Amino acid sequence: MIERARAGYLGILGTVALGVAAVLGVYGRFVHPLPGLPWPLLLVPLGALLTVPLFPPSSWKGRLRPWKDSLTLGAYLLLAGLFFFLVFLLSLRGLDLLLRPPGLLGRLFFPLSLLAPLGRLLPAPPGDLLLALGLATAATLWGVVEAAWVRVVRVTLRSPRIPPGTERLRVVQISDLHLGLIHDLRFLHRLVRKIRLLKPDLLVSTGDLVDGSLEGQEDVADLIREIRPRLGALAVTGNHEFYAGLEEALAFHRRCGFRVLRDEAVRVGPLWVAGVDDPGGKYGPTAPRADEEGLLEGWGEGGRRPYVLFLKHRPVVRRGTLGRFDLMLSGHVHGGQVFPWNLLARSAYRYARGLKRLRGAGRGAFLYVSAGTGTWGPPVRLFAPPEVTVFDLFPAKRR
């Protein structure tokens, strides 16, 4: 039985491959004949490469084992390139239709005819195929660079619930690392070094730390454990912890040095930190539903309540929890990860990225949605840079 992570890859691969085949079929039939290339000699090895991520780590034996990571990376980058090629080719054909409309369309929509001179800037077929291929290659290469450059986002918050005299409490958030399918120790070394330089008091992971089989990831876990924040490390599950196998994922978190909060709260210094399980991809009336309202009550009312940090993978705020936490940290959305999904992320989630003040929650209640620290699928980001988020919490200024 294929695991959920690889089933997801297979679904995306099938969608992108069918999309490219359909668009090229229409292009060759109605726009311009495709070049007479030896397609089987090109498509067979590329198709074989794209199937590489479907094989579990245990299937790589002997002389093939050292090639596993390189071939897996190549497959993911090829998949990203095909996706970008599909996006750019459709965009170019759409622009061509807009700037050089057919006669009837131009007559029906007279303003379009005014744009016709701009159509000369577009390459004539099959030049648009080459342009789309060039843009897709450039986007993929830049996406690799952008995904590898993890920026530090800093947020400063003050609250009367932080005890007076507290110099500073630094919480560092990582989210959506998706470890497991690609073994990239160089990226992890850079990330761990960056986090250690930030000197966090508390490190939190807001879900999807893992993705797929964790076989052979012990060195990755030991590397993350070296961060050693002063007040410890806390995490919550994301949907991919359930896809990878919950017990295996929890054991991996423990090896990384994280305590996983599963519908529970703990005292950490002057903070109370609460965390809930992700539904794990199950929805509907029978889906598991954490008692967030019950978890977030009982800590005193009004000014007597301590500062509550709430960890939840998906950025969905229940109305009944408003006023019961001070800062909710989430992830899951990845900031869209790649163009054009980063433009569509807001349609799926009301809060898709960054810091939001929550209305109806009294003073000082915030939600922060991380753009994610890693990548899902191809190690590529486009116009959605990854981040490590630093929250410096201070007492409220005296008036």
Side-chain angles (χ1 to χ4, degrees):
M1 180 177 175
I2 190 169
E3 62 180 77
R4 290 284 296 270
R6 288 179 170 80
Y9 172 83
L10 183 60
I12 293 174
L13 172 59
T15 302
V16 172
L18 288 175
V20 171
V23 170
L24 288 180
V26 172
Y27 184 97
R29 177 72 181 273
F30 298 104
V31 180
H32 192 279
L34 295 176
L37 298 174
W39 294 107
L41 295 179
L42 294 174
L43 297 180
V44 169
L46 293 180
L49 176 61
L50 286 168
T51 63
V52 165
L54 298 175
F55 295 93
S58 57
S59 66
W60 294 82
K61 302 182 184 299
R63 295 182 178 180
L64 286 177
R65 192 169 186 86
W67 291 91
K68 178 181 78 71
D69 292 334
S70 297
L71 289 174
T72 302
L73 177 61
Y76 275 120
L77 295 182
L78 177 58
L79 179 60
L82 286 174
F83 170 76
F84 287 133
F85 173 73
L86 181 62
V87 169
F88 285 123
L89 183 56
L90 287 173
S91 299
L92 288 172
R93 295 312 309 158
L95 278 174
D96 184 78
L97 184 63
L98 178 66
L99 298 178
R100 293 188 291 204
L104 178 60
L105 187 62
R107 288 192 294 271
L108 289 176
F109 300 96
F110 173 72
L112 291 179
S113 62
L114 302 177
L115 301 176
L118 296 177
R120 299 179 190 138
L121 300 175
L122 296 177
D128 52 353
L129 283 178
L130 296 176
L131 179 58
L133 183 61
L135 291 173
T137 302
T140 303
L141 294 176
W142 173 251
V144 172
V145 174
E146 186 171 307
W149 176 60
V150 180
R151 63 177 184 162
V152 176
V153 177
R154 298 179 183 271
V155 177
T156 299
L157 296 173
R158 293 184 176 272
S159 171
R161 295 193 174 99
I162 300 294
T166 303
E167 183 177 349
R168 182 202 67 196
L169 191 64
R170 174 164 288 182
V171 179
V172 172
Q173 177 194 17
I174 60 174
S175 190
D176 301 277
L177 264 174
H178 290 276
L179 302 172
L181 293 183
I182 296 181
H183 191 80
D184 191 349
L185 270 181
R186 289 181 298 176
F187 172 81
L188 263 297
H189 272 290
R190 294 195 303 271
L191 177 63
V192 167
R193 184 165 58 249
K194 181 170 291 189
I195 294 174
R196 293 186 69 179
L197 288 173
L198 294 171
K199 297 181 180 180
D201 295 309
L202 175 66
L203 176 68
V204 299
S205 170
T206 47
D208 285 2
L209 182 73
V210 305
D211 194 355
S213 172
L214 294 169
E215 179 184 343
Q217 299 288 328
E218 294 81 6
D219 50 354
V220 170
D222 293 341
L223 184 59
I224 295 174
R225 193 180 187 92
E226 293 178 5
I227 298 174
R228 304 185 193 281
R230 182 175 65 88
L231 296 176
L234 300 174
V236 290
T237 59
N239 49 311
H240 283 263
E241 270 75 35
F242 291 87
Y243 301 163
L246 183 59
E247 293 306 317
E248 185 182 10
L250 293 176
F252 183 81
H253 276 76
R254 289 192 292 270
R255 181 154 186 164
C256 290
F258 285 103
R259 174 178 175 178
V260 182
L261 300 180
R262 305 192 63 202
D263 305 334
E264 57 184 314
V266 295
R267 182 70 180 258
V268 180
L271 307 179
W272 274 97
V273 185
V276 292
D277 264 347
D278 188 80
K282 298 177 181 178
Y283 297 96
T286 61
R289 182 179 173 90
D291 181 15
E292 297 178 14
E293 292 83 357
L295 179 63
L296 294 171
E297 70 179 1
W299 295 330
E301 299 295 334
R304 298 190 300 274
R305 178 171 65 75
Y307 193 95
V308 177
L309 181 65
F310 184 30
L311 309 181
K312 182 180 180 181
H313 180 58
R314 299 176 197 245
V316 177
V317 181
R318 292 188 194 170
R319 185 176 298 275
T321 64
L322 291 174
R324 300 187 182 189
F325 62 84
D326 298 281
L327 175 61
M328 175 173 157
L329 302 182
S330 297
H332 187 62
V333 187
H334 292 227
Q337 187 165 320
V338 295
F339 176 86
W341 297 114
N342 51 351
L343 303 178
L344 303 175
R346 191 174 295 275
S347 65
Y349 290 92
R350 180 181 178 185
Y351 307 108
R353 186 173 177 178
L355 186 69
K356 307 292 181 184
R357 183 185 289 272
L358 299 175
R359 296 180 179 178
R363 288 186 174 183
F366 294 93
L367 164 67
Y368 188 88
V369 185
S370 170
T373 312
T375 56
W376 179 67
V380 170
R381 282 178 172 264
L382 191 63
F383 309 136
E387 68 179 62
V388 167
T389 320
V390 179
F391 299 89
D392 285 331
L393 307 179
F394 292 92
K397 290 183 177 179
R398 294 182 179 179
R399 295 183 179 180

